[in-house]
């Protein structure tokens, strides 16, 4: 932590916004923060810069590869198959380090917005509203970052006494060596921040954004409260806030193939459809090292686009189990030049690597090509479907199996061309498994699967569901034993505090098993 915040204090002069605009430049170290942050535009640029830092694909990619969403692709040249895919997890794991660092890098700037919003002198009543809104946005982003840290690095998010991460509720000085604090402390800050943000949004009169899904909002604050309560296992409160978003946000589910495709492939879905919040990427930021789609392919979302990871066979089989599911065509590239190869005899294929190639296209569709000023997919952070899933979980926790089916039906009706029968469950475990399976199909490659297995997998009696074809073949040269499974009881479902953090703060507590 000492190292991370030291880097960011030096780099504070950049203030890079999502549109690559800069504040008035100055030499690093020549001005204090009190002089550098003096007007509302400085706060706006800091918020934008924080969101830019949060567009780190590490958890989206890691969650898919470590679990059962992705499988090694036809063009895999060794990416991940000796680390995340075979469950190699230690203090030097690059994914764990990237997830930790991106949150705390962003938090260093977010905390400066929250601190200086109360010090910047407004030039007019309207300008004060801009300042207030920037503070509210920063509070929501701070809660979002703390939820992610708690999700990945706490051994048990439902235990208030378990350790989470370092609580970044203020600007942390480079001379400090902060310790990890409890989940209870994290949840207290998360909900205090979100409540404060909601209060500001309720009173704010700043001119509305032309595209509100690019910015933290009241609806996002409410959705994050629902997510945090569900993570804690506090389902009565989770249901209250999930229901509030569903009934008052004005957002509706995408309910046609075209609308659902647009959410992920073009980002031009109808107004108030599906998306609560996305992290925006611009064409100027289009680069192989940071693009979301390039987390799984080298060039493009197609068979000749060098896919080093593909949609797993087990996920594909679930998406094809019922004909007409919009999510299949959105997630998998099935029609067009160099589309997927689907081998009906994949279980007996002598060369499954080259006969069964299931190409991912969820992020960016066919427009996502690694090229200068090319299309650059946004990062989905919160969608309305998640709120229906949280309501379904709340019904399962309450023993209302019919209510679980009713909430899942709402999503299924929007994902098929005709109304679907409500799922029926014989017992609570079956209901939890039904929720987990639907979340897997709906939220695939959006960074949820690892956390979903961790928090409700045991309730569902579930485990990883990799297909034998994805690991039994010698085509990918897996080291040692083939990586077929990992029990949910494994300590590896809690990520280690990264070695880079331990190097800068030797007193920080490491998780068990590392």
């Amino acid at each position: 932590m000492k190292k991370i915040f030291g880097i960011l204090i030096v780099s504070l002069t950049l203030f890079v916004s999502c549109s690559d605009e800069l504040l008035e430049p100055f030499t690093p170290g020549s001005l204090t923060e009190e002089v550098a942050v003096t007007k509302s535009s400085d706060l706006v640029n800091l918020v934008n810069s924080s969101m830019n830092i949060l567009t780190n694909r590490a958890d989206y990619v890691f969650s898919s590869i470590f679990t059962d969403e992705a499988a090694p692709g036809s063009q895999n040249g060794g990416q991940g198959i000796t680390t995340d895919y075979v469950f190699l997890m230690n203090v030097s794991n690059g994914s764990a380090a990237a997830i930790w660092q991106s949150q705390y890098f962003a938090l260093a700037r977010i905390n400066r917005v929250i601190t200086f919003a109360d010090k910047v002198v407004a030039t007019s009543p309207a300008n004060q509203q801009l300042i207030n809104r920037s503070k509210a946005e920063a509070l929501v982003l701070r809660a979002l970052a703390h939820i992610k840290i708690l999700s990945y690095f706490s051994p048990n998010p439902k235990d208030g006494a378990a350790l989470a991460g370092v609580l970044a509720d203020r600007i942390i000085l480079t001379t400090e060596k902060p310790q990890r604090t409890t989940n209870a402390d994290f949840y207290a800050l998360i909900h205090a921040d979100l409540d404060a943000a909601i209060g500001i949004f309720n009173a704010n009169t700043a001119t509305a954004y032309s595209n509100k899904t690019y910015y933290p909002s009241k609806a996002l604050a409410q959705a994050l409260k629902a997510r945090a309560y569900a993570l804690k296992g506090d389902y009565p409160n989770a249901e209250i806030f999930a229901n509030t978003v569903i009934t008052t946000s004005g957002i509706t589910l995408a309910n046609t193939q075209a609308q659902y495709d647009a959410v992920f492939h073009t980002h031009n879905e109808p107004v108030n459809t599906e998306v609560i919040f996305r992290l925006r990427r611009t064409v100027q930021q289009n680069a192989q090292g940071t693009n979301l789609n390039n987390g799984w392919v080298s060039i493009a979302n197609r068979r000749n686009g060098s896919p080093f990871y593909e949609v797993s066979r087990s996920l594909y089989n679930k998406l094809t189990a019922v004909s007409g599911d919009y999510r299949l065509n959105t997630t998998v590239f099935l029609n067009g030049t160099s589309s997927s190869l689907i081998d009906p005899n994949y279980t007996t294929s002598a060369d499954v690597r080259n006969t069964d190639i299931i190409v991912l296209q969820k992020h960016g569709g066919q427009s996502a090509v690694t090229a200068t000023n090319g299309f650059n997919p946004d990062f989905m952070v919160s969608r309305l479907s998640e709120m229906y899933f949280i309501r379904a979980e709340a019904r399962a926790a309450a023993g209302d199996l019919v209510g679980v089916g009713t909430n899942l039906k709402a999503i299924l009706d929007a994902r098929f061309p005709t109304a679907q029968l409500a799922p029926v469950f014989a017992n609570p475990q079956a209901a939890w498994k039904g929720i987990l399976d639907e979340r897997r199909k709906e939220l695939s490659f959006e960074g949820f699967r690892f956390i979903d297995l961790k928090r409700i997998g045991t309730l569902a009696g579930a485990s990883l569901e990799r297909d034998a074809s994805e690991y039994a073949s010698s085509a990918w040269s897996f080291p040692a034993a083939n990586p077929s499974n990992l029990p949910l009881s494994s300590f590896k479902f809690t990520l280690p505090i990264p070695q880079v953090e331990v190097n800068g703060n030797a007193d920080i507590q490491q998780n068990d098993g590392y």
Side-chain angles (χ1 to χ4, degrees):
M1 187 65 60
K2 179 179 179 181
K3 178 178 180 180
I4 289 174
F5 283 99
I7 291 170
L8 282 168
I9 287 176
V10 172
S11 65
L12 183 63
T13 60
L14 296 178
F15 291 95
V16 182
S17 75
C18 284
S19 59
D20 286 345
E21 295 174 351
L22 302 178
L23 291 181
E24 297 175 5
F26 57 91
T27 304
S30 65
L31 295 177
T32 64
E33 292 177 350
E34 285 75 10
V35 176
V37 185
T38 60
K39 51 188 182 296
S40 61
S41 60
D42 298 342
L43 298 174
V44 170
N45 280 342
L46 269 177
V47 171
N48 289 342
S49 174
S50 302
M51 290 192 289
N52 190 39
I53 293 171
L54 289 172
T55 56
N56 186 306
R57 69 188 182 209
D59 63 309
Y60 291 69
V61 177
F62 165 76
S63 181
S64 69
I65 293 173
F66 194 87
T67 62
D68 50 16
E69 290 181 340
S74 61
Q75 300 303 307
N76 189 289
Q79 296 95 330
I81 64 172
T82 61
T83 53
D84 292 345
Y85 193 71
V86 296
F87 313 124
L88 178 61
M89 181 56 62
N90 55 41
V91 295
S92 298
N93 182 272
S95 297
I99 293 168
W100 176 276
Q101 289 182 312
S102 61
Q103 305 313 305
Y104 282 111
F105 270 49
L107 281 166
R109 297 192 180 191
I110 290 166
N111 278 328
R112 284 166 170 80
V113 176
I114 296 169
T115 297
F116 285 98
D118 295 332
K119 299 179 181 180
V120 170
V121 178
T123 58
S124 67
N127 186 250
Q128 184 63 60
Q129 294 300 309
L130 292 176
I131 293 169
N132 294 348
R133 184 170 67 184
S134 292
K135 182 177 181 179
E137 291 169 347
L139 287 166
V140 176
L141 292 174
R142 186 163 75 176
L144 175 64
H146 280 96
I147 290 172
K148 187 163 290 188
I149 293 163
L150 191 158
S151 299
Y152 279 103
F153 296 96
S154 171
N156 182 5
K158 295 180 181 179
D159 180 1
L163 292 179
V166 172
L167 194 70
D169 58 348
R170 56 187 174 80
I171 298 172
I172 299 177
L173 302 177
T174 57
T175 54
E176 297 182 67
K177 292 186 177 182
Q179 299 295 289
R180 294 169 68 190
T181 54
T182 65
N183 291 340
D185 291 334
F186 262 61
Y187 285 123
L189 178 65
I190 288 166
H191 288 296
D193 281 350
L194 294 173
D195 289 342
I198 291 169
I200 294 173
F201 284 129
N202 282 338
N204 196 257
T205 59
T207 302
Y209 293 114
S210 58
N211 189 326
K212 60 186 178 182
T213 66
Y214 289 150
Y215 303 93
S217 63
K218 177 180 175 180
L220 177 61
Q222 293 166 332
L224 291 180
K225 284 184 73 69
R227 182 184 293 181
Y229 278 127
L231 185 65
K232 178 66 171 67
D234 181 352
Y235 281 111
N237 278 312
E239 186 170 27
I240 289 171
F241 282 94
N243 190 62
T244 296
V245 176
I246 291 169
T247 59
T248 69
S249 68
I251 301 169
T252 58
L253 293 168
N255 60 15
T256 67
Q257 183 74 68
Q259 286 185 8
Y260 198 66
D261 284 349
V263 170
F264 299 98
H265 295 173
T266 61
H267 309 322
N268 62 357
E269 72 280 353
V271 175
N272 295 327
T273 300
E274 192 68 43
V275 182
I276 298 172
F277 178 64
R278 52 166 45 105
L279 288 166
R280 185 187 183 192
R281 299 287 289 169
T282 68
V283 295
Q284 292 82 7
Q285 295 167 322
N286 195 52
Q288 188 182 55
T290 56
N291 287 357
L292 184 54
N293 57 293
N294 286 132
W296 299 273
V297 303
S298 292
I299 300 171
N301 295 331
R302 56 192 71 137
R303 201 169 70 250
N304 65 357
S306 191
F308 51 86
Y309 272 94
E310 300 164 8
V311 177
S312 73
R313 208 354 138 151
S314 61
L315 176 56
Y316 175 81
N317 288 346
K318 284 190 177 294
L319 289 169
T320 58
V322 181
S323 178
D325 194 331
Y326 298 149
R327 294 170 295 194
L328 171 63
N329 285 286
T330 301
T331 304
V332 181
F333 181 37
L334 292 173
N335 301 293
T337 303
S338 196
S339 57
S340 300
L341 286 179
I342 307 299
D343 185 353
N345 301 310
Y346 75 94
T347 58
T348 57
S349 172
D351 186 19
V352 69
R353 174 172 182 161
N354 293 304
T355 64
D356 199 48
I357 304 175
I358 308 175
V359 182
L360 174 68
Q361 72 158 353
K362 188 169 191 178
H363 299 297
Q366 293 307 294
S367 298
V369 178
T370 303
T372 302
N373 292 339
F375 184 71
N376 195 355
D378 295 337
F379 288 56
M380 292 297 156
V381 175
S382 179
R383 295 194 288 118
L384 189 66
S385 56
E386 183 192 0
M387 299 298 104
Y388 283 94
F389 286 128
I390 290 175
R391 282 206 319 198
E393 290 179 32
R395 292 296 84 213
D400 177 10
L401 305 187
V402 173
V404 174
T406 299
N407 279 282
L408 295 184
K409 175 177 165 56
I411 298 172
L412 294 174
D413 285 349
R415 301 299 180 246
F416 287 84
T418 57
Q420 302 294 292
L421 294 175
V424 177
F425 304 104
N427 52 61
Q429 184 180 88
W432 284 109
K433 184 62 163 63
I435 295 167
L436 189 63
D437 285 347
E438 285 302 323
R439 285 183 68 97
R440 184 184 182 194
K441 289 185 284 186
E442 175 70 26
L443 302 171
S444 64
F445 298 93
E446 296 179 57
F448 286 93
R449 182 64 172 169
F450 180 88
I451 303 304
D452 285 349
L453 286 166
K454 177 178 179 175
R455 66 186 186 83
I456 65 173
T458 300
L459 291 170
S463 63
L464 294 179
E465 298 177 0
R466 290 180 173 177
D467 192 279
S469 66
E470 297 163 352
Y471 63 87
S473 171
S474 62
W476 291 283
S477 300
F478 294 124
N482 290 325
S484 62
N485 210 343
L486 182 73
L488 298 189
S489 59
S490 172
F491 69 89
K492 295 180 182 181
F493 276 95
T494 302
L495 298 189
I497 306 304
Q499 186 62 48
V500 66
E501 181 63 35
V502 175
N503 290 344
N505 182 3
D507 296 331
I508 198 167
Q509 306 96 316
Q510 183 56 272
N511 280 319
D512 290 344
Y514 300 106

